[in-house]
Amino acid sequence: TYIGSCAQWTGSGANFSADYKAFLRRFWEAQVTAFERGQGWMYWTWKAEVADEWSYSAGLKYGWIPQDPNQRIYPNVCG
């Protein structure tokens, strides 16, 4: 059954709202923080074809992933 559209959550980062980009930044920081506490970290893909929210390069381009991966604006995102 078709329930709704995910258009606001996927596609080009140019179309993402500021609130969604802030969520993606918190999500990115939470993953990096959690992975660093374990075995280290890496992002799942450099470039996704039609889903910028999964793309490291798009995150850099649209600003939810910092150029310096050590820069954190949510230092306590994992508690």
Side-chain angles (χ1 to χ4, degrees):
T1 303
Y2 181 76
I3 295 176
S5 172
C6 294
Q8 68 183 9
W9 311 115
T10 192
S12 172
N15 299 323
F16 294 165
S17 70
D19 286 343
Y20 187 50
K21 288 180 182 177
F23 162 78
L24 290 172
R25 175 63 181 257
R26 286 189 306 274
F27 183 66
W28 180 83
E29 287 193 25
Q31 288 187 317
V32 170
T33 300
F35 295 159
E36 284 177 347
R37 291 178 183 169
Q39 298 293 323
W41 64 275
M42 61 181 234
Y43 212 70
W44 46 85
T45 187
W46 173 249
K47 184 176 182 182
E49 293 180 18
V50 294
D52 282 352
E53 68 277 14
W54 299 110
S55 172
Y56 195 96
S57 62
L60 292 170
K61 179 178 179 179
Y62 294 111
W64 65 82
I65 295 177
Q67 295 293 321
D68 176 355
N70 292 311
Q71 178 197 25
R72 307 289 167 85
I73 58 176
Y74 303 104
N76 298 315
V77 71
C78 288

